[in-house]
Amino acid sequence: MEIFSNLALGLATASTPENLLYCLLGVSLGTLVGVLPGIGPVATIAMLLPLTFELPADSSIIMLAGIFYGAQYGGSTTAILINLPGESSAVVTVLDGHQMAKQGRAGAALAVAALSSFFAGTVATVLISIFSPPLAAIALKFGSAEYFSLMVLGLIASVALASGSVLNALAMIVLGLLLGLTGQDLYAGTPRFTFGNTELADGLSFVAIAMGLFGLAEIMRNLEVPSDRRPIVKKVTGLILSKADLKAIFWPSVRGTALGSFLGILPGGGAVLSSFAAYSLEKKIAKDPSRFGHGAIEGVAAPESANNAGAQTSFIPMLTLGIPSNSTMALMIGALIIQGINPGPNVMTARPELFWGVIASMWIGNVMLVILNLPLIGLWVRLLSVPYRFLYPAIVVFCCIGVFSISNSTFDLFLTAGFGIAGYVLVRLKCEPAPLIMGLILGPMLEEHLRRAMLYSRGDPSVFITRPISAVLLLIALVALLLVILPTVRATREKAFQDA
Amino acid sequence: MRLVDRRNLTLGLFLIGVAAVYFGVGLGLNMGTSTRMGPGYFPMLLVSLLAFFGLLIILKAVRRHSEEAPSVVGWRGIAVVSLSVVLFGLSVTSLGFLPAVAIAAAVSSFASSETHPAERLALTAVLVVFSWLIFIVGLNLPIPILGSLIVRG
């Protein structure tokens, strides 16, 4: 079976000493960032993107991926111990996890989180291996019209499945697309929207913008309220689970993994949505739903496995189709572009060692996380007592260094500062920055496919509807959009995000 | 006097403003035909979409008024953090990596009202040393540690 030879290639790539090191670095950083509130995997990945210049492509993606799913592990640690989700995907874990901690079962909760996540990570790795080749094979038959429609679907679905105002998110996407078009026109070479500035001829540095929007803006938000939370954490013991516990978490983990794997692939899906959905599912089918919110062990197992599965399967559209399902994946695509790799179904055939190496590294990373997290819990928790006012200048400095290291451009730093302010303003105006970043990265690609499709169809716009696959994709996008606008669905959506 | 939703109103006006600017610039671009799209085609499409959304948001602002009182704006944080990044940008070539890091660290620490001068000094020192170790020694970033104004030749 081809899967085994592919995975073998992947394991061989991922187990070289350098890649093991980068994987370890990635998951450790991810856990650290997940534990610390006020900085998340997106900002960290943005900060490390410039450094991936120096690294080979497979090492870069392995490390960045490690940060992403490592942060899911880290976020649940703080969620359980101090009632503070380090990551938004851990919000649901707070509900029962912290209750378990209060009942003296913090160790068990942490162990459950780690084990369910590991189970989910293993299954997700297998699923990715099975489903990626056929998906990429289908995508290779895609023409420009299909790609255009797929990207439109991706953008709209990510809005529909996310929280917040749909209209605002759509506006952010369009804004991002426009910003992404800055620079030289693809075919004619005409400079566009450069306002006479030669620095802009290559386009706006998306790393600079990402660091501003996600890194700096987050810092500015956290500095709004001058307070220094010093969490009081009790000592954690009892990390071994009883047989009864293991029995109790098996099926919730399986369900969580299944749900997370499915939702992760959908554009706009990913870790957060998966964890929410899994928790709701467990609560609904539980024999005694009243236990939830009071330390039900299933309430930790299900969302934890879901968020890890969702985080990993969200790599599938990115690796096979070149479509990002969330802002983290958008940045990964950016990393591939920096390496000179064109994201899309060609990646699997052109760079198989990269493709399978990243997939294999995810499993290896999960192993590392289980080994890392359980014993090192004390260390991570100690870090929480570092006051934020010492942390954020470090983040600012690293942002500055990172942005400058890309092209030694002072202008990029002004860009970062500007988008930091913009990011803060946008969040105050109730706009999410993620759609903007997705639009920014997809803008040029979207235009390219539009132009090519129109060129082949000789100016006939109906090509997007007459070609069947493209028509189906656009139809799904339309349905998703309509569903979200309908008042009833809107109310359910808001309620789902308010419940937790 | 009906309360207008100021948040959405601001957002809508901002979007229309951006659309107007891009429209103005885009007029100078060749639109081409739908078969052979010029550099201006897609941008103009997007500009119209953006203006449309801006309009919808303004309509939303006028129809529904929000009772939310505006919460505190962290002016200090905004100003100080962006200033520290700008200062880094201005000083990194002229003064060099190490001074730039020191400036960024020191200035940004002013954003929090709770940092004592002694802590500020320690923080700056620690960050300079660590940045040097990680980025110059460890990663070999090609940024001169002392810039052209300080080191001649």
PDB file of all heavy atoms in Angstrom, chain A residues 192-193 228 389 392 404 410 413 424 428 447 450-451 454-455 458-459, chain B residues 7 22 34-35 37 39 42 71-72 74 78 89 108-109 112 114 119:
ATOM      1  N   ARG A 192       1.064  48.907  -8.927  1.00  0.00           N
ATOM      2  CA  ARG A 192      -0.282  49.246  -8.503  1.00  0.00           C
ATOM      3  C   ARG A 192      -0.308  49.660  -7.049  1.00  0.00           C
ATOM      4  O   ARG A 192       0.220  48.962  -6.202  1.00  0.00           O
ATOM      5  CB  ARG A 192      -1.199  48.021  -8.680  1.00  0.00           C
ATOM      6  CG  ARG A 192      -1.422  47.676 -10.114  1.00  0.00           C
ATOM      7  CD  ARG A 192      -2.526  46.678 -10.245  1.00  0.00           C
ATOM      8  NE  ARG A 192      -2.188  45.389  -9.692  1.00  0.00           N
ATOM      9  CZ  ARG A 192      -2.958  44.320  -9.829  1.00  0.00           C
ATOM     10  NH1 ARG A 192      -4.103  44.432 -10.474  1.00  0.00           N
ATOM     11  NH2 ARG A 192      -2.605  43.161  -9.317  1.00  0.00           N
ATOM     12  N   PHE A 193      -0.993  50.763  -6.790  1.00  0.00           N
ATOM     13  CA  PHE A 193      -1.206  51.231  -5.424  1.00  0.00           C
ATOM     14  C   PHE A 193       0.097  51.384  -4.649  1.00  0.00           C
ATOM     15  O   PHE A 193       0.148  51.154  -3.453  1.00  0.00           O
ATOM     16  CB  PHE A 193      -2.149  50.289  -4.669  1.00  0.00           C
ATOM     17  CG  PHE A 193      -3.434  50.077  -5.392  1.00  0.00           C
ATOM     18  CD1 PHE A 193      -3.769  48.834  -5.866  1.00  0.00           C
ATOM     19  CD2 PHE A 193      -4.296  51.135  -5.628  1.00  0.00           C
ATOM     20  CE1 PHE A 193      -4.956  48.632  -6.555  1.00  0.00           C
ATOM     21  CE2 PHE A 193      -5.483  50.945  -6.317  1.00  0.00           C
ATOM     22  CZ  PHE A 193      -5.811  49.685  -6.783  1.00  0.00           C
ATOM     23  N   ASP A 228      -2.141  43.405  36.908  1.00  0.00           N
ATOM     24  CA  ASP A 228      -1.164  42.334  36.856  1.00  0.00           C
ATOM     25  C   ASP A 228      -1.720  41.126  37.573  1.00  0.00           C
ATOM     26  O   ASP A 228      -1.681  41.049  38.802  1.00  0.00           O
ATOM     27  CB  ASP A 228       0.139  42.790  37.524  1.00  0.00           C
ATOM     28  CG  ASP A 228       1.279  42.757  36.534  1.00  0.00           C
ATOM     29  OD1 ASP A 228       1.125  42.143  35.476  1.00  0.00           O
ATOM     30  OD2 ASP A 228       2.322  43.352  36.836  1.00  0.00           O
ATOM     31  N   ARG A 389       4.114  42.789  32.277  1.00  0.00           N
ATOM     32  CA  ARG A 389       4.882  43.974  31.912  1.00  0.00           C
ATOM     33  C   ARG A 389       6.352  43.647  31.610  1.00  0.00           C
ATOM     34  O   ARG A 389       7.068  44.472  31.064  1.00  0.00           O
ATOM     35  CB  ARG A 389       4.800  45.035  33.013  1.00  0.00           C
ATOM     36  CG  ARG A 389       5.458  44.643  34.328  1.00  0.00           C
ATOM     37  CD  ARG A 389       5.236  45.752  35.343  1.00  0.00           C
ATOM     38  NE  ARG A 389       6.081  45.606  36.515  1.00  0.00           N
ATOM     39  CZ  ARG A 389       5.744  44.893  37.575  1.00  0.00           C
ATOM     40  NH1 ARG A 389       4.587  44.266  37.591  1.00  0.00           N
ATOM     41  NH2 ARG A 389       6.554  44.797  38.607  1.00  0.00           N
ATOM     42  N   TYR A 392       5.797  41.660  27.568  1.00  0.00           N
ATOM     43  CA  TYR A 392       5.446  42.282  26.299  1.00  0.00           C
ATOM     44  C   TYR A 392       6.604  43.051  25.658  1.00  0.00           C
ATOM     45  O   TYR A 392       6.696  43.080  24.432  1.00  0.00           O
ATOM     46  CB  TYR A 392       4.183  43.149  26.427  1.00  0.00           C
ATOM     47  CG  TYR A 392       4.414  44.511  27.024  1.00  0.00           C
ATOM     48  CD1 TYR A 392       4.847  45.563  26.244  1.00  0.00           C
ATOM     49  CD2 TYR A 392       4.204  44.742  28.375  1.00  0.00           C
ATOM     50  CE1 TYR A 392       5.082  46.806  26.787  1.00  0.00           C
ATOM     51  CE2 TYR A 392       4.435  45.980  28.928  1.00  0.00           C
ATOM     52  CZ  TYR A 392       4.881  47.013  28.138  1.00  0.00           C
ATOM     53  OH  TYR A 392       5.119  48.227  28.689  1.00  0.00           O
ATOM     54  N   PHE A 404      12.472  43.308  10.625  1.00  0.00           N
ATOM     55  CA  PHE A 404      13.630  43.920   9.985  1.00  0.00           C
ATOM     56  C   PHE A 404      14.506  42.895   9.289  1.00  0.00           C
ATOM     57  O   PHE A 404      15.118  43.174   8.258  1.00  0.00           O
ATOM     58  CB  PHE A 404      14.453  44.693  11.014  1.00  0.00           C
ATOM     59  CG  PHE A 404      15.526  45.535  10.402  1.00  0.00           C
ATOM     60  CD1 PHE A 404      15.205  46.686   9.710  1.00  0.00           C
ATOM     61  CD2 PHE A 404      16.868  45.170  10.484  1.00  0.00           C
ATOM     62  CE1 PHE A 404      16.188  47.470   9.126  1.00  0.00           C
ATOM     63  CE2 PHE A 404      17.856  45.943   9.921  1.00  0.00           C
ATOM     64  CZ  PHE A 404      17.519  47.103   9.232  1.00  0.00           C
ATOM     65  N   THR A 410      13.380  49.632   6.828  1.00  0.00           N
ATOM     66  CA  THR A 410      12.785  50.463   7.869  1.00  0.00           C
ATOM     67  C   THR A 410      11.307  50.665   7.587  1.00  0.00           C
ATOM     68  O   THR A 410      10.484  50.726   8.498  1.00  0.00           O
ATOM     69  CB  THR A 410      13.484  51.832   7.921  1.00  0.00           C
ATOM     70  OG1 THR A 410      14.882  51.628   8.001  1.00  0.00           O
ATOM     71  CG2 THR A 410      13.030  52.635   9.106  1.00  0.00           C
ATOM     72  N   LEU A 413       9.005  48.271   9.142  1.00  0.00           N
ATOM     73  CA  LEU A 413       8.734  48.485  10.562  1.00  0.00           C
ATOM     74  C   LEU A 413       7.646  49.529  10.750  1.00  0.00           C
ATOM     75  O   LEU A 413       6.798  49.402  11.643  1.00  0.00           O
ATOM     76  CB  LEU A 413      10.013  48.903  11.280  1.00  0.00           C
ATOM     77  CG  LEU A 413      10.959  47.722  11.496  1.00  0.00           C
ATOM     78  CD1 LEU A 413      12.362  48.190  11.803  1.00  0.00           C
ATOM     79  CD2 LEU A 413      10.446  46.857  12.643  1.00  0.00           C
ATOM     80  N   TYR A 424      -5.599  47.196  16.386  1.00  0.00           N
ATOM     81  CA  TYR A 424      -6.274  47.567  17.621  1.00  0.00           C
ATOM     82  C   TYR A 424      -7.604  48.233  17.312  1.00  0.00           C
ATOM     83  O   TYR A 424      -8.639  47.897  17.884  1.00  0.00           O
ATOM     84  CB  TYR A 424      -5.374  48.503  18.430  1.00  0.00           C
ATOM     85  CG  TYR A 424      -6.002  48.977  19.706  1.00  0.00           C
ATOM     86  CD1 TYR A 424      -5.984  48.180  20.845  1.00  0.00           C
ATOM     87  CD2 TYR A 424      -6.634  50.212  19.773  1.00  0.00           C
ATOM     88  CE1 TYR A 424      -6.565  48.605  22.019  1.00  0.00           C
ATOM     89  CE2 TYR A 424      -7.216  50.643  20.941  1.00  0.00           C
ATOM     90  CZ  TYR A 424      -7.184  49.839  22.067  1.00  0.00           C
ATOM     91  OH  TYR A 424      -7.767  50.272  23.217  1.00  0.00           O
ATOM     92  N   ARG A 428     -11.527  47.012  18.070  1.00  0.00           N
ATOM     93  CA  ARG A 428     -12.474  47.863  18.792  1.00  0.00           C
ATOM     94  C   ARG A 428     -13.734  48.097  17.964  1.00  0.00           C
ATOM     95  O   ARG A 428     -14.822  48.301  18.497  1.00  0.00           O
ATOM     96  CB  ARG A 428     -11.820  49.211  19.112  1.00  0.00           C
ATOM     97  CG  ARG A 428     -10.709  49.119  20.139  1.00  0.00           C
ATOM     98  CD  ARG A 428     -11.224  48.635  21.453  1.00  0.00           C
ATOM     99  NE  ARG A 428     -12.125  49.589  22.040  1.00  0.00           N
ATOM    100  CZ  ARG A 428     -11.916  50.241  23.179  1.00  0.00           C
ATOM    101  NH1 ARG A 428     -10.806  50.030  23.827  1.00  0.00           N
ATOM    102  NH2 ARG A 428     -12.792  51.088  23.647  1.00  0.00           N
ATOM    103  N   GLU A 447      -6.686  36.751  -7.942  1.00  0.00           N
ATOM    104  CA  GLU A 447      -6.715  37.523  -9.177  1.00  0.00           C
ATOM    105  C   GLU A 447      -6.138  36.724 -10.341  1.00  0.00           C
ATOM    106  O   GLU A 447      -6.677  36.726 -11.447  1.00  0.00           O
ATOM    107  CB  GLU A 447      -5.951  38.826  -9.016  1.00  0.00           C
ATOM    108  CG  GLU A 447      -5.960  39.634 -10.305  1.00  0.00           C
ATOM    109  CD  GLU A 447      -5.139  40.894 -10.218  1.00  0.00           C
ATOM    110  OE1 GLU A 447      -4.114  40.864  -9.529  1.00  0.00           O
ATOM    111  OE2 GLU A 447      -5.529  41.879 -10.848  1.00  0.00           O
ATOM    112  N   LEU A 450      -8.610  34.293 -11.567  1.00  0.00           N
ATOM    113  CA  LEU A 450      -9.724  34.973 -12.227  1.00  0.00           C
ATOM    114  C   LEU A 450      -9.324  35.368 -13.640  1.00  0.00           C
ATOM    115  O   LEU A 450     -10.036  35.093 -14.616  1.00  0.00           O
ATOM    116  CB  LEU A 450     -10.121  36.222 -11.425  1.00  0.00           C
ATOM    117  CG  LEU A 450     -11.221  37.075 -12.048  1.00  0.00           C
ATOM    118  CD1 LEU A 450     -12.534  36.319 -12.042  1.00  0.00           C
ATOM    119  CD2 LEU A 450     -11.379  38.386 -11.294  1.00  0.00           C
ATOM    120  N   ARG A 451      -8.152  35.977 -13.734  1.00  0.00           N
ATOM    121  CA  ARG A 451      -7.719  36.452 -15.043  1.00  0.00           C
ATOM    122  C   ARG A 451      -7.496  35.305 -16.011  1.00  0.00           C
ATOM    123  O   ARG A 451      -7.876  35.368 -17.170  1.00  0.00           O
ATOM    124  CB  ARG A 451      -6.431  37.254 -14.890  1.00  0.00           C
ATOM    125  CG  ARG A 451      -6.673  38.645 -14.351  1.00  0.00           C
ATOM    126  CD  ARG A 451      -5.394  39.299 -13.939  1.00  0.00           C
ATOM    127  NE  ARG A 451      -4.941  40.207 -14.970  1.00  0.00           N
ATOM    128  CZ  ARG A 451      -4.116  41.231 -14.730  1.00  0.00           C
ATOM    129  NH1 ARG A 451      -3.647  41.426 -13.518  1.00  0.00           N
ATOM    130  NH2 ARG A 451      -3.738  42.006 -15.701  1.00  0.00           N
ATOM    131  N   MET A 454     -10.797  33.799 -17.140  1.00  0.00           N
ATOM    132  CA  MET A 454     -11.453  34.661 -18.111  1.00  0.00           C
ATOM    133  C   MET A 454     -10.717  34.645 -19.448  1.00  0.00           C
ATOM    134  O   MET A 454     -11.328  34.750 -20.503  1.00  0.00           O
ATOM    135  CB  MET A 454     -11.510  36.103 -17.578  1.00  0.00           C
ATOM    136  CG  MET A 454     -12.431  36.242 -16.404  1.00  0.00           C
ATOM    137  SD  MET A 454     -14.135  35.881 -16.831  1.00  0.00           S
ATOM    138  CE  MET A 454     -14.719  37.519 -17.134  1.00  0.00           C
ATOM    139  N   LEU A 455      -9.424  34.495 -19.396  1.00  0.00           N
ATOM    140  CA  LEU A 455      -8.648  34.451 -20.629  1.00  0.00           C
ATOM    141  C   LEU A 455      -9.037  33.216 -21.430  1.00  0.00           C
ATOM    142  O   LEU A 455      -9.287  33.286 -22.630  1.00  0.00           O
ATOM    143  CB  LEU A 455      -7.158  34.403 -20.276  1.00  0.00           C
ATOM    144  CG  LEU A 455      -6.174  34.739 -21.392  1.00  0.00           C
ATOM    145  CD1 LEU A 455      -6.353  36.191 -21.800  1.00  0.00           C
ATOM    146  CD2 LEU A 455      -4.755  34.502 -20.925  1.00  0.00           C
ATOM    147  N   ARG A 458     -12.414  33.345 -22.892  1.00  0.00           N
ATOM    148  CA  ARG A 458     -12.564  34.490 -23.789  1.00  0.00           C
ATOM    149  C   ARG A 458     -13.566  35.502 -23.260  1.00  0.00           C
ATOM    150  O   ARG A 458     -14.462  35.932 -23.959  1.00  0.00           O
ATOM    151  CB  ARG A 458     -12.974  34.037 -25.203  1.00  0.00           C
ATOM    152  CG  ARG A 458     -11.950  33.113 -25.768  1.00  0.00           C
ATOM    153  CD  ARG A 458     -12.198  32.724 -27.209  1.00  0.00           C
ATOM    154  NE  ARG A 458     -11.497  31.485 -27.496  1.00  0.00           N
ATOM    155  CZ  ARG A 458     -10.183  31.393 -27.704  1.00  0.00           C
ATOM    156  NH1 ARG A 458      -9.440  32.467 -27.665  1.00  0.00           N
ATOM    157  NH2 ARG A 458      -9.628  30.237 -27.949  1.00  0.00           N
ATOM    158  N   GLY A 459     -13.416  35.835 -21.991  1.00  0.00           N
ATOM    159  CA  GLY A 459     -14.210  36.922 -21.446  1.00  0.00           C
ATOM    160  C   GLY A 459     -15.601  36.510 -21.017  1.00  0.00           C
ATOM    161  O   GLY A 459     -16.425  37.353 -20.686  1.00  0.00           O
TER     162      GLY A 459
ATOM    163  N   ARG B   7     -19.805  52.798  16.424  1.00  0.00           N
ATOM    164  CA  ARG B   7     -18.777  51.861  15.981  1.00  0.00           C
ATOM    165  C   ARG B   7     -18.953  51.550  14.514  1.00  0.00           C
ATOM    166  O   ARG B   7     -18.034  51.690  13.709  1.00  0.00           O
ATOM    167  CB  ARG B   7     -18.908  50.556  16.768  1.00  0.00           C
ATOM    168  CG  ARG B   7     -17.714  50.231  17.595  1.00  0.00           C
ATOM    169  CD  ARG B   7     -17.869  48.862  18.136  1.00  0.00           C
ATOM    170  NE  ARG B   7     -18.524  48.903  19.429  1.00  0.00           N
ATOM    171  CZ  ARG B   7     -17.989  48.383  20.527  1.00  0.00           C
ATOM    172  NH1 ARG B   7     -16.837  47.809  20.487  1.00  0.00           N
ATOM    173  NH2 ARG B   7     -18.639  48.447  21.659  1.00  0.00           N
ATOM    174  N   TYR B  22      -8.654  54.136  -3.118  1.00  0.00           N
ATOM    175  CA  TYR B  22      -8.246  53.132  -4.090  1.00  0.00           C
ATOM    176  C   TYR B  22      -8.907  53.362  -5.437  1.00  0.00           C
ATOM    177  O   TYR B  22      -8.322  53.080  -6.489  1.00  0.00           O
ATOM    178  CB  TYR B  22      -8.576  51.726  -3.572  1.00  0.00           C
ATOM    179  CG  TYR B  22      -7.447  51.121  -2.779  1.00  0.00           C
ATOM    180  CD1 TYR B  22      -7.245  51.451  -1.444  1.00  0.00           C
ATOM    181  CD2 TYR B  22      -6.559  50.238  -3.367  1.00  0.00           C
ATOM    182  CE1 TYR B  22      -6.199  50.904  -0.720  1.00  0.00           C
ATOM    183  CE2 TYR B  22      -5.515  49.680  -2.662  1.00  0.00           C
ATOM    184  CZ  TYR B  22      -5.334  50.021  -1.337  1.00  0.00           C
ATOM    185  OH  TYR B  22      -4.297  49.486  -0.629  1.00  0.00           O
ATOM    186  N   SER B  34     -12.803  42.184 -20.431  1.00  0.00           N
ATOM    187  CA  SER B  34     -13.006  41.061 -19.515  1.00  0.00           C
ATOM    188  C   SER B  34     -12.222  39.842 -19.976  1.00  0.00           C
ATOM    189  O   SER B  34     -11.936  38.954 -19.194  1.00  0.00           O
ATOM    190  CB  SER B  34     -14.489  40.734 -19.359  1.00  0.00           C
ATOM    191  OG  SER B  34     -15.133  40.762 -20.589  1.00  0.00           O
ATOM    192  N   THR B  35     -11.846  39.798 -21.244  1.00  0.00           N
ATOM    193  CA  THR B  35     -11.022  38.680 -21.680  1.00  0.00           C
ATOM    194  C   THR B  35      -9.584  38.874 -21.226  1.00  0.00           C
ATOM    195  O   THR B  35      -8.975  38.009 -20.631  1.00  0.00           O
ATOM    196  CB  THR B  35     -11.022  38.554 -23.213  1.00  0.00           C
ATOM    197  OG1 THR B  35     -12.352  38.561 -23.670  1.00  0.00           O
ATOM    198  CG2 THR B  35     -10.355  37.263 -23.634  1.00  0.00           C
ATOM    199  N   MET B  37      -7.882  40.968 -18.870  1.00  0.00           N
ATOM    200  CA  MET B  37      -8.052  41.943 -17.800  1.00  0.00           C
ATOM    201  C   MET B  37      -6.797  42.758 -17.598  1.00  0.00           C
ATOM    202  O   MET B  37      -5.702  42.212 -17.500  1.00  0.00           O
ATOM    203  CB  MET B  37      -8.382  41.227 -16.492  1.00  0.00           C
ATOM    204  CG  MET B  37      -9.757  40.658 -16.480  1.00  0.00           C
ATOM    205  SD  MET B  37     -10.069  40.000 -14.852  1.00  0.00           S
ATOM    206  CE  MET B  37     -11.539  39.118 -15.174  1.00  0.00           C
ATOM    207  N   PRO B  39      -4.518  45.680 -15.393  1.00  0.00           N
ATOM    208  CA  PRO B  39      -4.182  45.766 -13.971  1.00  0.00           C
ATOM    209  C   PRO B  39      -5.266  46.417 -13.129  1.00  0.00           C
ATOM    210  O   PRO B  39      -5.313  46.212 -11.923  1.00  0.00           O
ATOM    211  CB  PRO B  39      -2.904  46.611 -13.947  1.00  0.00           C
ATOM    212  CG  PRO B  39      -2.611  47.011 -15.333  1.00  0.00           C
ATOM    213  CD  PRO B  39      -3.526  46.343 -16.257  1.00  0.00           C
ATOM    214  N   PHE B  42      -9.535  43.923 -11.614  1.00  0.00           N
ATOM    215  CA  PHE B  42      -9.848  43.294 -10.331  1.00  0.00           C
ATOM    216  C   PHE B  42      -9.894  44.311  -9.198  1.00  0.00           C
ATOM    217  O   PHE B  42     -10.826  44.287  -8.386  1.00  0.00           O
ATOM    218  CB  PHE B  42      -8.824  42.186 -10.050  1.00  0.00           C
ATOM    219  CG  PHE B  42      -9.239  41.233  -8.975  1.00  0.00           C
ATOM    220  CD1 PHE B  42     -10.475  40.621  -8.999  1.00  0.00           C
ATOM    221  CD2 PHE B  42      -8.383  40.938  -7.922  1.00  0.00           C
ATOM    222  CE1 PHE B  42     -10.859  39.739  -8.008  1.00  0.00           C
ATOM    223  CE2 PHE B  42      -8.753  40.056  -6.933  1.00  0.00           C
ATOM    224  CZ  PHE B  42      -9.995  39.463  -6.968  1.00  0.00           C
ATOM    225  N   SER B  71     -15.822  51.736  25.875  1.00  0.00           N
ATOM    226  CA  SER B  71     -14.931  51.442  26.998  1.00  0.00           C
ATOM    227  C   SER B  71     -13.617  52.199  26.836  1.00  0.00           C
ATOM    228  O   SER B  71     -13.369  52.851  25.834  1.00  0.00           O
ATOM    229  CB  SER B  71     -14.676  49.930  27.079  1.00  0.00           C
ATOM    230  OG  SER B  71     -14.273  49.448  25.825  1.00  0.00           O
ATOM    231  N   VAL B  72     -12.790  52.054  27.834  1.00  0.00           N
ATOM    232  CA  VAL B  72     -11.538  52.817  27.862  1.00  0.00           C
ATOM    233  C   VAL B  72     -10.661  52.479  26.664  1.00  0.00           C
ATOM    234  O   VAL B  72     -10.494  51.319  26.321  1.00  0.00           O
ATOM    235  CB  VAL B  72     -10.773  52.472  29.158  1.00  0.00           C
ATOM    236  CG1 VAL B  72      -9.458  53.203  29.211  1.00  0.00           C
ATOM    237  CG2 VAL B  72     -11.632  52.801  30.352  1.00  0.00           C
ATOM    238  N   GLY B  74      -6.964  52.313  25.290  1.00  0.00           N
ATOM    239  CA  GLY B  74      -5.606  52.290  25.852  1.00  0.00           C
ATOM    240  C   GLY B  74      -4.654  53.152  25.054  1.00  0.00           C
ATOM    241  O   GLY B  74      -3.756  52.649  24.390  1.00  0.00           O
ATOM    242  N   ILE B  78      -1.138  52.094  22.853  1.00  0.00           N
ATOM    243  CA  ILE B  78      -1.070  52.288  21.401  1.00  0.00           C
ATOM    244  C   ILE B  78       0.109  53.161  21.043  1.00  0.00           C
ATOM    245  O   ILE B  78       0.958  52.812  20.204  1.00  0.00           O
ATOM    246  CB  ILE B  78      -2.352  52.961  20.872  1.00  0.00           C
ATOM    247  CG1 ILE B  78      -3.578  52.150  21.226  1.00  0.00           C
ATOM    248  CG2 ILE B  78      -2.261  53.146  19.379  1.00  0.00           C
ATOM    249  CD1 ILE B  78      -4.849  52.847  20.849  1.00  0.00           C
ATOM    250  N   GLY B  89      12.988  51.075  14.025  1.00  0.00           N
ATOM    251  CA  GLY B  89      13.216  51.186  12.589  1.00  0.00           C
ATOM    252  C   GLY B  89      14.181  52.299  12.241  1.00  0.00           C
ATOM    253  O   GLY B  89      15.056  52.149  11.378  1.00  0.00           O
ATOM    254  N   SER B 108       9.271  50.699  25.011  1.00  0.00           N
ATOM    255  CA  SER B 108       8.018  49.947  25.129  1.00  0.00           C
ATOM    256  C   SER B 108       7.670  49.684  26.580  1.00  0.00           C
ATOM    257  O   SER B 108       6.490  49.563  26.928  1.00  0.00           O
ATOM    258  CB  SER B 108       8.090  48.644  24.339  1.00  0.00           C
ATOM    259  OG  SER B 108       9.099  47.826  24.860  1.00  0.00           O
ATOM    260  N   SER B 109       8.675  49.611  27.441  1.00  0.00           N
ATOM    261  CA  SER B 109       8.349  49.344  28.840  1.00  0.00           C
ATOM    262  C   SER B 109       7.585  50.504  29.458  1.00  0.00           C
ATOM    263  O   SER B 109       6.936  50.342  30.491  1.00  0.00           O
ATOM    264  CB  SER B 109       9.617  49.050  29.639  1.00  0.00           C
ATOM    265  OG  SER B 109      10.404  50.212  29.719  1.00  0.00           O
ATOM    266  N   SER B 112       3.543  50.332  30.161  1.00  0.00           N
ATOM    267  CA  SER B 112       2.903  49.873  31.389  1.00  0.00           C
ATOM    268  C   SER B 112       3.240  50.843  32.501  1.00  0.00           C
ATOM    269  O   SER B 112       4.407  51.205  32.691  1.00  0.00           O
ATOM    270  CB  SER B 112       3.410  48.466  31.740  1.00  0.00           C
ATOM    271  OG  SER B 112       3.081  48.170  33.069  1.00  0.00           O
ATOM    272  N   GLU B 114       3.271  50.377  35.455  1.00  0.00           N
ATOM    273  CA  GLU B 114       3.699  49.757  36.701  1.00  0.00           C
ATOM    274  C   GLU B 114       5.179  49.411  36.733  1.00  0.00           C
ATOM    275  O   GLU B 114       5.671  48.873  37.703  1.00  0.00           O
ATOM    276  CB  GLU B 114       2.894  48.474  36.933  1.00  0.00           C
ATOM    277  CG  GLU B 114       1.413  48.752  37.091  1.00  0.00           C
ATOM    278  CD  GLU B 114       0.600  47.514  36.798  1.00  0.00           C
ATOM    279  OE1 GLU B 114       1.220  46.506  36.411  1.00  0.00           O
ATOM    280  OE2 GLU B 114      -0.627  47.566  36.917  1.00  0.00           O
ATOM    281  N   GLU B 119      13.478  48.147  37.167  1.00  0.00           N
ATOM    282  CA  GLU B 119      13.015  47.020  36.362  1.00  0.00           C
ATOM    283  C   GLU B 119      13.252  47.301  34.888  1.00  0.00           C
ATOM    284  O   GLU B 119      13.639  46.416  34.122  1.00  0.00           O
ATOM    285  CB  GLU B 119      11.519  46.782  36.596  1.00  0.00           C
ATOM    286  CG  GLU B 119      11.199  46.249  37.980  1.00  0.00           C
ATOM    287  CD  GLU B 119       9.703  46.158  38.200  1.00  0.00           C
ATOM    288  OE1 GLU B 119       8.957  46.854  37.481  1.00  0.00           O
ATOM    289  OE2 GLU B 119       9.287  45.388  39.078  1.00  0.00           O
TER     290      GLU B 119
END
